[in-house]
Amino acid sequence: MEQQQLILSRVDLTVLPLLFLGLLVFQLDRMNIASALTAGFATDIKVDQSTINLGNQLMFMSIVILEIPSNILLQRVGPRKWIAGQVLAFGLVASLQIFVKNRTGFLVSRFILGLCESGYIPGAIYTLSTWYTRKELARRVAIFFFGMFGGNAISPLLATGILKLDSARGLRGWQWLFLVEGLFTIFVSLIILLFLPGTPDKPRPLLWSGIIKFTESDAHTLRERLRKDEQGKAPETQGMHISLQVVWRTVSHYKRWPHFISTFAVFSTWSPLTTYTPSIMVSLGWERTEANALAAVGAALALVFVFLFAYLSDVTNQRGASVIGAQVCYLVALIVTRQVHPHVGRWSQWGLWTAVNSLAVGYHATQNTWIQLNCPDPRERSIAIAMFVMSAISGLMVGTQYYQADDKPFYQTGLRTQIIMVSVGILFSILQVGIYKVHNKRVIVGGHDKTTAGETHQIYVP
Protein backbone atom coordinates (compact mmCIF):
# COMPACT_ATOMS: atom_id res chain seq x y z
CA MET A 1 0.00 0.00 0.00
CA GLU A 2 2.80 2.43 0.87
CA GLN A 3 4.47 1.65 -2.46
CA GLN A 4 1.24 2.40 -4.32
CA GLN A 5 0.89 5.72 -2.50
CA LEU A 6 4.46 6.61 -3.42
CA ILE A 7 3.80 5.86 -7.09
CA LEU A 8 0.52 7.79 -6.95
CA SER A 9 2.34 10.80 -5.52
CA ARG A 10 4.63 10.74 -8.55
CA VAL A 11 1.58 10.92 -10.81
CA ASP A 12 0.28 13.82 -8.70
CA LEU A 13 3.59 15.63 -9.17
CA THR A 14 3.87 15.11 -12.92
CA VAL A 15 0.69 14.38 -14.90
CA LEU A 16 -1.74 16.46 -12.85
CA PRO A 17 0.22 19.74 -12.51
CA LEU A 18 1.27 19.75 -16.17
CA LEU A 19 -2.30 19.29 -17.41
CA PHE A 20 -3.40 21.89 -14.87
CA LEU A 21 -0.79 24.33 -16.19
CA GLY A 22 -1.95 23.75 -19.76
CA LEU A 23 -5.54 24.55 -18.78
CA LEU A 24 -4.46 27.66 -16.90
CA VAL A 25 -2.81 29.19 -19.97
CA PHE A 26 -5.74 27.94 -22.09
CA GLN A 27 -8.03 30.10 -19.96
CA LEU A 28 -5.65 33.06 -19.84
CA ASP A 29 -5.42 33.20 -23.61
CA ARG A 30 -9.13 33.13 -24.29
CA MET A 31 -10.36 35.26 -21.39
CA ASN A 32 -7.74 38.02 -21.12
CA ILE A 33 -10.00 39.94 -23.50
CA ALA A 34 -12.05 40.91 -20.42
CA SER A 35 -9.10 42.95 -19.10
CA ALA A 36 -8.20 44.15 -22.60
CA LEU A 37 -11.64 45.76 -22.80
CA THR A 38 -10.84 47.89 -19.76
CA ALA A 39 -7.72 49.14 -21.61
CA GLY A 40 -9.46 50.50 -24.70
CA PHE A 41 -9.20 47.41 -26.91
CA ALA A 42 -12.68 47.79 -28.44
CA THR A 43 -12.16 51.51 -29.07
CA ASP A 44 -8.74 50.98 -30.69
CA ILE A 45 -9.98 48.42 -33.20
CA LYS A 46 -13.30 50.27 -33.67
CA VAL A 47 -15.76 47.58 -32.59
CA ASP A 48 -18.80 47.65 -30.30
CA GLN A 49 -20.05 45.25 -27.63
CA SER A 50 -22.09 43.21 -30.12
CA THR A 51 -18.91 42.50 -32.09
CA ILE A 52 -17.06 41.43 -28.95
CA ASN A 53 -19.94 39.06 -28.17
CA LEU A 54 -19.87 37.72 -31.74
CA GLY A 55 -16.12 37.15 -31.61
CA ASN A 56 -16.42 35.12 -28.42
CA GLN A 57 -19.34 33.25 -29.94
CA LEU A 58 -17.24 32.30 -32.98
CA MET A 59 -14.43 31.14 -30.70
CA PHE A 60 -16.71 28.83 -28.74
CA MET A 61 -18.36 27.58 -31.94
CA SER A 62 -15.01 26.60 -33.45
CA ILE A 63 -14.08 24.74 -30.25
CA VAL A 64 -17.26 22.67 -30.56
CA ILE A 65 -16.62 21.86 -34.24
CA LEU A 66 -13.41 19.92 -33.59
CA GLU A 67 -14.07 18.60 -30.08
CA ILE A 68 -14.81 14.94 -30.89
CA PRO A 69 -12.32 14.68 -33.81
CA SER A 70 -9.59 16.08 -31.54
CA ASN A 71 -10.34 13.50 -28.88
CA ILE A 72 -10.20 10.69 -31.43
CA LEU A 73 -6.82 11.97 -32.65
CA LEU A 74 -5.58 11.98 -29.06
CA GLN A 75 -6.15 8.22 -28.93
CA ARG A 76 -4.01 7.69 -32.02
CA VAL A 77 -1.24 10.23 -31.44
CA GLY A 78 -0.98 9.97 -27.65
CA PRO A 79 -1.09 12.72 -25.01
CA ARG A 80 2.64 13.52 -25.05
CA LYS A 81 2.57 14.82 -28.61
CA TRP A 82 -1.02 15.96 -28.96
CA ILE A 83 -1.38 18.01 -25.77
CA ALA A 84 1.97 19.76 -26.15
CA GLY A 85 1.18 20.54 -29.80
CA GLN A 86 -2.18 22.01 -28.92
CA VAL A 87 -0.78 24.31 -26.25
CA LEU A 88 1.90 25.50 -28.67
CA ALA A 89 -0.72 26.20 -31.35
CA PHE A 90 -3.07 28.29 -29.24
CA GLY A 91 -0.11 30.09 -27.67
CA LEU A 92 1.04 31.22 -31.11
CA VAL A 93 -2.43 32.40 -32.11
CA ALA A 94 -2.87 34.22 -28.79
CA SER A 95 0.44 36.07 -29.29
CA LEU A 96 -0.48 37.10 -32.82
CA GLN A 97 -3.58 38.92 -31.56
CA ILE A 98 -1.34 41.96 -31.04
CA PHE A 99 -1.70 42.57 -34.78
CA VAL A 100 -5.51 42.82 -34.70
CA LYS A 101 -6.49 46.17 -36.21
CA ASN A 102 -10.18 45.90 -37.12
CA ARG A 103 -13.41 43.94 -36.85
CA THR A 104 -12.45 41.31 -39.42
CA GLY A 105 -9.10 40.61 -37.82
CA PHE A 106 -10.72 40.26 -34.41
CA LEU A 107 -13.37 37.81 -35.59
CA VAL A 108 -10.87 35.69 -37.56
CA SER A 109 -8.39 35.54 -34.67
CA ARG A 110 -11.07 34.44 -32.19
CA PHE A 111 -12.29 31.73 -34.58
CA ILE A 112 -8.78 30.33 -35.13
CA LEU A 113 -8.00 30.48 -31.41
CA GLY A 114 -11.05 28.31 -30.76
CA LEU A 115 -9.99 25.78 -33.40
CA CYS A 116 -6.58 25.44 -31.74
CA GLU A 117 -8.07 25.05 -28.27
CA SER A 118 -10.69 22.45 -29.23
CA GLY A 119 -10.13 19.07 -27.64
CA TYR A 120 -7.71 20.16 -24.93
CA ILE A 121 -10.13 19.84 -22.00
CA PRO A 122 -11.71 16.45 -22.88
CA GLY A 123 -8.30 15.11 -23.93
CA ALA A 124 -6.69 16.14 -20.66
CA ILE A 125 -9.59 14.82 -18.56
CA TYR A 126 -9.52 11.50 -20.38
CA THR A 127 -5.76 11.32 -19.85
CA LEU A 128 -6.34 11.78 -16.11
CA SER A 129 -8.84 8.90 -16.15
CA THR A 130 -6.10 6.60 -17.47
CA TRP A 131 -3.93 7.28 -14.39
CA TYR A 132 -6.42 7.41 -11.50
CA THR A 133 -9.06 5.09 -10.07
CA ARG A 134 -12.69 6.16 -9.90
CA LYS A 135 -12.43 7.00 -6.20
CA GLU A 136 -9.42 9.25 -6.83
CA LEU A 137 -10.68 10.92 -9.98
CA ALA A 138 -13.22 13.50 -8.76
CA ARG A 139 -10.77 15.48 -6.67
CA ARG A 140 -8.11 15.33 -9.40
CA VAL A 141 -10.58 16.57 -12.00
CA ALA A 142 -11.52 19.37 -9.59
CA ILE A 143 -7.83 20.28 -9.23
CA PHE A 144 -7.47 20.16 -13.02
CA PHE A 145 -10.40 22.55 -13.41
CA PHE A 146 -8.64 24.84 -10.96
CA GLY A 147 -6.52 25.62 -14.02
CA MET A 148 -9.55 27.06 -15.84
CA PHE A 149 -11.08 28.81 -12.87
CA GLY A 150 -7.66 29.81 -11.52
CA GLY A 151 -6.79 31.30 -14.89
CA ASN A 152 -9.99 33.28 -14.69
CA ALA A 153 -8.96 34.46 -11.21
CA ILE A 154 -5.38 35.51 -11.93
CA SER A 155 -6.04 36.97 -15.38
CA PRO A 156 -7.25 40.34 -14.04
CA LEU A 157 -4.44 40.35 -11.46
CA LEU A 158 -1.79 39.82 -14.13
CA ALA A 159 -3.50 42.44 -16.27
CA THR A 160 -3.16 45.07 -13.54
CA GLY A 161 0.61 44.85 -13.98
CA ILE A 162 0.91 44.15 -17.70
CA LEU A 163 -1.45 46.95 -18.71
CA LYS A 164 0.91 49.43 -17.07
CA LEU A 165 3.22 48.84 -20.04
CA ASP A 166 0.79 50.88 -22.13
CA SER A 167 2.71 52.87 -24.81
CA ALA A 168 6.01 51.09 -24.03
CA ARG A 169 7.89 50.44 -27.31
CA GLY A 170 4.91 51.78 -29.21
CA LEU A 171 2.48 49.07 -28.06
CA ARG A 172 -0.84 49.58 -26.33
CA GLY A 173 -1.45 47.92 -22.98
CA TRP A 174 -3.81 45.32 -24.45
CA GLN A 175 -1.16 44.38 -27.04
CA TRP A 176 1.34 43.74 -24.26
CA LEU A 177 -1.30 41.65 -22.50
CA PHE A 178 -1.84 39.38 -25.51
CA LEU A 179 1.90 39.16 -26.24
CA VAL A 180 3.17 38.39 -22.73
CA GLU A 181 0.51 35.81 -21.92
CA GLY A 182 0.79 34.22 -25.38
CA LEU A 183 4.57 33.84 -25.06
CA PHE A 184 4.11 32.33 -21.62
CA THR A 185 1.74 29.77 -23.16
CA ILE A 186 4.40 28.83 -25.73
CA PHE A 187 6.88 28.35 -22.88
CA VAL A 188 4.38 26.08 -21.10
CA SER A 189 4.03 23.96 -24.25
CA LEU A 190 7.77 23.29 -24.16
CA ILE A 191 7.56 22.28 -20.50
CA ILE A 192 4.75 19.83 -21.30
CA LEU A 193 6.75 18.42 -24.22
CA LEU A 194 9.73 17.79 -21.95
CA PHE A 195 8.02 16.51 -18.80
CA LEU A 196 4.54 15.06 -19.49
CA PRO A 197 4.44 11.25 -19.10
CA GLY A 198 2.41 9.38 -21.69
CA THR A 199 0.26 6.63 -20.16
CA PRO A 200 0.77 3.88 -17.56
CA ASP A 201 1.85 1.77 -20.55
CA LYS A 202 4.37 4.38 -21.73
CA PRO A 203 5.17 6.60 -18.75
CA ARG A 204 8.37 8.09 -20.15
CA PRO A 205 8.10 11.71 -21.44
CA LEU A 206 8.54 12.14 -25.17
CA LEU A 207 12.03 13.71 -25.36
CA TRP A 208 13.82 12.44 -22.25
CA SER A 209 13.40 10.40 -19.09
CA GLY A 210 12.13 13.32 -16.99
CA ILE A 211 12.96 14.43 -13.46
CA ILE A 212 10.45 12.15 -11.73
CA LYS A 213 10.83 8.71 -13.29
CA PHE A 214 8.52 5.70 -13.46
CA THR A 215 10.17 2.28 -13.50
CA GLU A 216 8.68 -0.70 -15.31
CA SER A 217 7.59 -2.00 -11.91
CA ASP A 218 5.81 1.31 -11.23
CA ALA A 219 4.05 1.14 -14.59
CA HIS A 220 2.92 -2.42 -13.87
CA THR A 221 1.56 -1.37 -10.47
CA LEU A 222 -0.36 1.52 -12.03
CA ARG A 223 -1.92 -0.76 -14.66
CA GLU A 224 -2.92 -3.40 -12.13
CA ARG A 225 -4.57 -0.97 -9.73
CA LEU A 226 -6.67 0.40 -12.59
CA ARG A 227 -7.76 -3.08 -13.68
CA LYS A 228 -8.74 -3.96 -10.13
CA ASP A 229 -10.68 -0.73 -9.79
CA GLU A 230 -12.91 -1.60 -12.73
CA GLN A 231 -12.95 -4.86 -14.62
CA GLY A 232 -12.05 -4.33 -18.24
CA LYS A 233 -10.81 -0.78 -17.85
CA ALA A 234 -7.97 -0.21 -20.27
CA PRO A 235 -5.40 2.32 -19.08
CA GLU A 236 -3.85 3.06 -22.45
CA THR A 237 -4.79 6.15 -24.43
CA GLN A 238 -2.45 5.81 -27.36
CA GLY A 239 -3.42 3.45 -30.14
CA MET A 240 -6.97 2.76 -28.93
CA HIS A 241 -9.34 2.60 -31.91
CA ILE A 242 -12.67 4.37 -31.58
CA SER A 243 -15.04 3.30 -34.34
CA LEU A 244 -17.95 5.30 -35.68
CA GLN A 245 -20.21 2.66 -34.14
CA VAL A 246 -18.85 3.48 -30.68
CA VAL A 247 -19.24 7.20 -31.36
CA TRP A 248 -22.85 6.73 -32.42
CA ARG A 249 -23.63 4.43 -29.49
CA THR A 250 -22.33 7.07 -27.08
CA VAL A 251 -24.04 10.00 -28.75
CA SER A 252 -27.39 8.18 -28.95
CA HIS A 253 -27.29 7.00 -25.32
CA TYR A 254 -30.30 9.07 -24.29
CA LYS A 255 -30.12 8.21 -20.59
CA ARG A 256 -27.07 10.46 -20.22
CA TRP A 257 -28.44 13.42 -22.17
CA PRO A 258 -29.81 15.29 -19.11
CA HIS A 259 -26.16 15.66 -18.03
CA PHE A 260 -25.36 17.54 -21.20
CA ILE A 261 -28.51 19.68 -21.25
CA SER A 262 -27.95 20.70 -17.62
CA THR A 263 -24.31 21.55 -18.34
CA PHE A 264 -25.29 23.57 -21.41
CA ALA A 265 -27.89 25.58 -19.52
CA VAL A 266 -25.93 26.38 -16.36
CA PHE A 267 -22.48 26.84 -17.88
CA SER A 268 -23.89 29.29 -20.43
CA THR A 269 -24.35 31.77 -17.58
CA TRP A 270 -20.61 31.83 -16.81
CA SER A 271 -19.71 33.29 -20.21
CA PRO A 272 -20.88 36.89 -19.64
CA LEU A 273 -19.39 36.89 -16.14
CA THR A 274 -15.90 36.12 -17.43
CA THR A 275 -16.14 38.82 -20.09
CA TYR A 276 -17.84 41.68 -18.30
CA THR A 277 -17.17 41.43 -14.55
CA PRO A 278 -14.13 43.79 -14.74
CA SER A 279 -16.22 46.26 -16.76
CA ILE A 280 -19.00 46.04 -14.16
CA MET A 281 -16.45 46.94 -11.48
CA VAL A 282 -15.49 50.00 -13.55
CA SER A 283 -19.18 50.91 -13.75
CA LEU A 284 -19.32 50.80 -9.96
CA GLY A 285 -16.77 53.60 -9.89
CA TRP A 286 -13.38 51.93 -9.49
CA GLU A 287 -10.36 52.70 -11.63
CA ARG A 288 -9.10 50.10 -14.12
CA THR A 289 -6.43 48.62 -11.84
CA GLU A 290 -8.76 48.40 -8.84
CA ALA A 291 -11.56 46.97 -10.99
CA ASN A 292 -9.41 44.14 -12.32
CA ALA A 293 -8.15 43.30 -8.82
CA LEU A 294 -11.66 43.29 -7.32
CA ALA A 295 -12.98 41.15 -10.19
CA ALA A 296 -10.39 38.52 -9.30
CA VAL A 297 -11.78 37.91 -5.82
CA GLY A 298 -14.93 36.06 -6.88
CA ALA A 299 -13.02 34.03 -9.45
CA ALA A 300 -10.50 33.03 -6.77
CA LEU A 301 -13.21 32.02 -4.31
CA ALA A 302 -14.75 29.85 -7.06
CA LEU A 303 -11.78 27.51 -6.64
CA VAL A 304 -12.82 26.85 -3.03
CA PHE A 305 -16.37 25.94 -4.02
CA VAL A 306 -15.26 23.73 -6.92
CA PHE A 307 -13.09 21.71 -4.56
CA LEU A 308 -15.69 21.73 -1.77
CA PHE A 309 -18.45 20.20 -3.88
CA ALA A 310 -16.03 17.71 -5.48
CA TYR A 311 -14.88 16.68 -1.99
CA LEU A 312 -18.47 16.26 -0.79
CA SER A 313 -19.30 14.14 -3.83
CA ASP A 314 -16.29 11.89 -3.14
CA VAL A 315 -17.03 11.50 0.57
CA THR A 316 -20.75 10.82 0.17
CA ASN A 317 -20.72 9.28 -3.33
CA GLN A 318 -23.87 11.33 -3.91
CA ARG A 319 -22.79 12.78 -7.23
CA GLY A 320 -26.18 14.04 -8.35
CA ALA A 321 -27.04 15.60 -5.00
CA SER A 322 -23.68 17.40 -4.97
CA VAL A 323 -24.27 18.81 -8.46
CA ILE A 324 -27.80 19.91 -7.62
CA GLY A 325 -26.70 21.46 -4.32
CA ALA A 326 -24.01 23.52 -6.05
CA GLN A 327 -26.43 24.68 -8.75
CA VAL A 328 -29.07 25.68 -6.19
CA CYS A 329 -26.51 27.78 -4.28
CA TYR A 330 -25.65 29.58 -7.52
CA LEU A 331 -29.32 30.16 -8.33
CA VAL A 332 -29.90 31.74 -4.91
CA ALA A 333 -26.94 34.10 -5.44
CA LEU A 334 -28.32 35.21 -8.82
CA ILE A 335 -31.81 35.83 -7.47
CA VAL A 336 -30.55 37.82 -4.48
CA THR A 337 -28.22 39.88 -6.68
CA ARG A 338 -30.95 40.82 -9.14
CA GLN A 339 -33.38 41.80 -6.39
CA VAL A 340 -31.00 43.58 -4.01
CA HIS A 341 -28.39 45.12 -6.31
CA PRO A 342 -30.25 48.36 -7.23
CA HIS A 343 -30.90 49.19 -3.55
CA VAL A 344 -27.47 48.89 -1.88
CA GLY A 345 -24.15 50.74 -1.88
CA ARG A 346 -21.04 50.13 -3.97
CA TRP A 347 -19.28 47.68 -1.65
CA SER A 348 -22.44 45.66 -1.15
CA GLN A 349 -22.88 45.54 -4.92
CA TRP A 350 -19.32 44.27 -5.25
CA GLY A 351 -20.12 41.61 -2.63
CA LEU A 352 -23.14 40.45 -4.61
CA TRP A 353 -21.20 40.13 -7.88
CA THR A 354 -18.40 38.39 -5.98
CA ALA A 355 -20.89 35.85 -4.61
CA VAL A 356 -22.28 35.20 -8.10
CA ASN A 357 -18.80 34.64 -9.54
CA SER A 358 -17.81 32.47 -6.56
CA LEU A 359 -20.71 30.03 -7.02
CA ALA A 360 -21.00 30.08 -10.82
CA VAL A 361 -18.98 26.91 -11.48
CA GLY A 362 -19.03 24.97 -8.20
CA TYR A 363 -20.87 22.05 -9.80
CA HIS A 364 -18.78 21.75 -12.96
CA ALA A 365 -15.98 19.34 -12.01
CA THR A 366 -18.41 17.09 -10.12
CA GLN A 367 -20.74 16.93 -13.13
CA ASN A 368 -17.83 15.78 -15.28
CA THR A 369 -16.81 13.05 -12.84
CA TRP A 370 -20.43 11.93 -12.52
CA ILE A 371 -20.55 11.34 -16.27
CA GLN A 372 -17.24 9.45 -16.29
CA LEU A 373 -18.30 7.14 -13.49
CA ASN A 374 -21.26 6.05 -15.59
CA CYS A 375 -19.19 5.17 -18.68
CA PRO A 376 -17.52 1.78 -18.08
CA ASP A 377 -16.13 1.49 -21.63
CA PRO A 378 -12.99 3.70 -21.95
CA ARG A 379 -13.77 4.43 -25.60
CA GLU A 380 -17.28 5.51 -24.68
CA ARG A 381 -15.90 7.53 -21.79
CA SER A 382 -13.61 9.42 -24.13
CA ILE A 383 -16.50 10.44 -26.38
CA ALA A 384 -18.79 11.24 -23.43
CA ILE A 385 -16.16 13.61 -22.02
CA ALA A 386 -15.97 15.33 -25.40
CA MET A 387 -19.77 15.64 -25.43
CA PHE A 388 -19.67 17.15 -21.95
CA VAL A 389 -17.15 19.76 -23.05
CA MET A 390 -19.11 20.41 -26.26
CA SER A 391 -22.26 21.04 -24.26
CA ALA A 392 -20.36 23.37 -21.92
CA ILE A 393 -18.72 25.29 -24.75
CA SER A 394 -22.02 25.48 -26.66
CA GLY A 395 -23.49 27.01 -23.53
CA LEU A 396 -20.68 29.55 -23.38
CA MET A 397 -21.31 30.37 -27.03
CA VAL A 398 -24.99 31.12 -26.35
CA GLY A 399 -24.15 32.95 -23.12
CA THR A 400 -22.05 35.53 -24.93
CA GLN A 401 -25.33 37.23 -25.88
CA TYR A 402 -26.85 37.44 -22.39
CA TYR A 403 -25.32 40.83 -21.53
CA GLN A 404 -26.24 43.44 -24.13
CA ALA A 405 -25.11 47.07 -24.40
CA ASP A 406 -28.63 48.45 -23.85
CA ASP A 407 -28.75 46.53 -20.52
CA LYS A 408 -25.72 48.31 -19.05
CA PRO A 409 -24.33 48.82 -16.51
CA PHE A 410 -25.69 46.06 -14.27
CA TYR A 411 -27.53 43.79 -16.73
CA GLN A 412 -30.85 43.23 -14.98
CA THR A 413 -32.27 41.53 -18.07
CA GLY A 414 -29.15 39.40 -18.37
CA LEU A 415 -29.44 38.33 -14.74
CA ARG A 416 -33.04 37.28 -15.35
CA THR A 417 -31.89 35.13 -18.29
CA GLN A 418 -29.22 33.56 -16.12
CA ILE A 419 -31.78 32.74 -13.42
CA ILE A 420 -33.99 31.01 -15.99
CA MET A 421 -31.10 28.99 -17.46
CA VAL A 422 -29.81 27.84 -14.07
CA SER A 423 -33.35 26.78 -13.11
CA VAL A 424 -33.58 24.72 -16.29
CA GLY A 425 -30.21 23.14 -15.51
CA ILE A 426 -31.34 22.15 -12.02
CA LEU A 427 -34.47 20.50 -13.38
CA PHE A 428 -32.42 18.38 -15.78
CA SER A 429 -29.98 17.40 -13.02
CA ILE A 430 -32.93 16.21 -10.94
CA LEU A 431 -34.25 14.33 -13.99
CA GLN A 432 -30.84 12.68 -14.43
CA VAL A 433 -30.86 11.37 -10.87
CA GLY A 434 -34.38 10.03 -11.40
CA ILE A 435 -33.45 8.25 -14.64
CA TYR A 436 -30.50 6.52 -13.01
CA LYS A 437 -32.48 5.46 -9.94
CA VAL A 438 -35.35 4.05 -11.98
CA HIS A 439 -32.90 2.14 -14.18
CA ASN A 440 -31.03 0.74 -11.19
CA LYS A 441 -34.26 -0.40 -9.55
CA ARG A 442 -35.26 -2.26 -12.70
CA VAL A 443 -31.88 -3.99 -12.90
CA ILE A 444 -31.97 -4.99 -9.22
CA VAL A 445 -35.44 -6.52 -9.44
CA GLY A 446 -34.56 -8.22 -12.73
CA GLY A 447 -36.97 -6.23 -14.82
CA HIS A 448 -34.44 -4.72 -17.21
CA ASP A 449 -33.82 -6.51 -20.49
CA LYS A 450 -30.37 -7.01 -22.04
CA THR A 451 -30.98 -5.52 -25.46
CA THR A 452 -29.24 -2.17 -25.04
CA ALA A 453 -25.65 -2.39 -26.29
CA GLY A 454 -23.05 -1.76 -23.63
CA GLU A 455 -25.67 -1.33 -20.89
CA THR A 456 -26.37 -4.90 -19.80
CA HIS A 457 -27.03 -4.93 -16.06
CA GLN A 458 -25.08 -1.72 -15.59
CA ILE A 459 -25.72 -0.03 -12.26
CA TYR A 460 -25.42 3.74 -12.55
CA VAL A 461 -24.08 6.13 -9.94
CA PRO A 462 -27.01 8.48 -9.22
Side-chain angles (χ1 to χ4, degrees):
M1 185 61 70
E2 288 184 6
Q3 181 64 20
Q4 285 194 24
Q5 288 300 317
L6 179 62
I7 297 171
L8 185 61
S9 68
R10 293 175 188 164
V11 180
D12 287 337
L13 291 172
T14 52
V15 179
L16 183 57
L18 289 171
L19 295 177
F20 165 92
L21 189 58
L23 187 58
L24 185 142
V25 294
F26 169 103
Q27 186 68 7
L28 286 179
D29 286 342
R30 73 177 184 178
M31 288 305 165
N32 52 17
I33 190 174
S35 295
L37 289 173
T38 68
F41 173 68
T43 302
D44 288 351
I45 66 169
K46 299 178 177 61
V47 299
D48 56 16
Q49 184 167 330
S50 63
T51 300
I52 297 297
N53 290 343
L54 177 60
N56 285 336
Q57 201 165 27
L58 287 173
M59 179 184 68
F60 293 131
M61 182 182 72
S62 61
I63 290 175
V64 171
I65 290 173
L66 293 183
E67 205 73 90
I68 289 180
S70 294
N71 225 33
I72 293 174
L73 283 171
L74 170 72
Q75 316 301 324
R76 299 188 178 184
V77 176
R80 295 175 298 181
K81 297 177 182 177
W82 183 255
I83 289 176
Q86 267 203 293
V87 177
L88 175 62
F90 62 70
L92 285 170
V93 175
S95 300
L96 293 174
Q97 288 180 111
I98 67 169
F99 298 111
V100 171
K101 302 294 184 184
N102 52 38
R103 184 178 188 271
T104 301
F106 171 68
L107 296 178
V108 170
S109 67
R110 299 307 278 181
F111 183 80
I112 296 175
L113 181 63
L115 290 177
C116 293
E117 289 188 337
S118 62
Y120 180 82
I121 294 177
I125 293 173
Y126 181 75
T127 300
L128 287 175
S129 76
T130 67
W131 289 90
Y132 294 105
T133 64
R134 289 175 296 173
K135 185 177 180 181
E136 299 158 352
L137 190 59
R139 268 173 276 185
R140 267 70 177 195
V141 170
I143 292 170
F144 169 71
F145 273 116
F146 278 12
M148 173 180 285
F149 309 133
N152 194 52
I154 69 172
S155 181
L157 293 178
L158 292 174
T160 59
I162 297 173
L163 291 178
K164 291 180 180 179
L165 294 172
D166 189 30
S167 299
R169 297 186 179 276
L171 295 178
R172 296 281 282 127
W174 59 265
Q175 290 177 302
W176 280 110
L177 184 64
F178 290 144
L179 180 62
V180 171
E181 293 186 354
L183 291 176
F184 177 64
T185 299
I186 294 171
F187 175 69
V188 168
S189 73
L190 299 177
I191 293 176
I192 292 174
L193 188 65
L194 287 172
F195 296 105
L196 180 66
T199 69
D201 276 347
K202 300 175 182 177
R204 187 180 185 277
L206 186 64
L207 298 183
W208 70 315
S209 59
I211 297 174
I212 299 175
K213 300 176 176 61
F214 294 91
T215 66
E216 180 54 43
S217 175
D218 294 340
H220 176 75
T221 300
L222 287 167
R223 291 192 297 269
E224 287 303 310
R225 63 193 292 275
L226 288 170
R227 290 194 177 98
K228 289 178 182 178
D229 177 61
E230 184 178 341
Q231 183 65 31
K233 179 176 181 178
E236 51 280 309
T237 38
Q238 186 167 347
M240 185 171 64
H241 176 65
I242 299 179
S243 66
L244 290 177
Q245 181 182 12
V246 172
V247 173
W248 173 246
R249 187 178 72 201
T250 307
V251 171
S252 61
H253 190 85
Y254 69 92
K255 289 184 179 179
R256 282 195 293 265
W257 268 91
H259 281 301
F260 306 128
I261 297 172
S262 175
T263 298
F264 168 86
V266 183
F267 206 58
S268 71
T269 66
W270 192 52
S271 181
L273 296 175
T274 60
T275 303
Y276 293 114
T277 296
S279 298
I280 291 171
M281 296 299 108
V282 172
S283 298
L284 289 173
W286 280 289
E287 296 297 327
R288 183 187 69 197
T289 300
E290 296 171 324
N292 279 301
L294 288 169
V297 176
L301 288 174
L303 304 180
V304 176
F305 287 104
V306 168
F307 189 81
L308 173 63
F309 286 109
Y311 175 77
L312 289 174
S313 75
D314 267 357
V315 171
T316 63
N317 202 35
Q318 296 295 316
R319 311 293 175 171
S322 299
V323 168
I324 294 167
Q327 292 174 339
V328 168
C329 289
Y330 178 35
L331 177 62
V332 170
L334 285 169
I335 292 173
V336 171
T337 297
R338 188 172 188 274
Q339 294 302 117
V340 175
H341 190 275
H343 311 295
V344 295
R346 183 172 71 160
W347 280 105
S348 295
Q349 290 173 322
W350 169 79
L352 291 169
W353 284 105
T354 298
V356 167
N357 278 275
S358 299
L359 294 164
V361 290
Y363 66 93
H364 197 65
T366 304
Q367 178 85 276
N368 178 274
T369 303
W370 189 18
I371 294 170
Q372 290 196 58
L373 291 173
N374 289 304
C375 296
D377 185 334
R379 300 168 301 170
E380 190 174 340
R381 185 182 306 117
S382 177
I383 300 303
I385 293 169
M387 291 175 65
F388 166 78
V389 176
M390 288 173 67
S391 64
I393 299 300
S394 296
L396 293 178
M397 180 174 64
V398 172
T400 59
Q401 301 296 332
Y402 289 173
Y403 287 5
Q404 295 292 327
D406 59 5
D407 197 24
K408 286 181 178 180
F410 304 126
Y411 303 105
Q412 289 291 97
T413 302
L415 283 168
R416 182 179 62 192
T417 303
Q418 288 173 296
I419 289 168
I420 293 170
M421 294 302 286
V422 173
S423 300
V424 170
I426 291 170
L427 289 176
F428 275 94
S429 292
I430 294 171
L431 175 63
Q432 186 68 80
V433 172
I435 289 173
Y436 283 160
K437 287 188 174 182
V438 169
H439 171 89
N440 291 348
K441 185 177 180 180
R442 289 177 178 175
V443 171
I444 291 170
V445 300
H448 191 276
D449 63 42
K450 300 172 64 175
T451 59
T452 305
E455 199 188 24
T456 303
H457 295 314
Q458 178 180 349
I459 296 293
Y460 290 104
V461 179

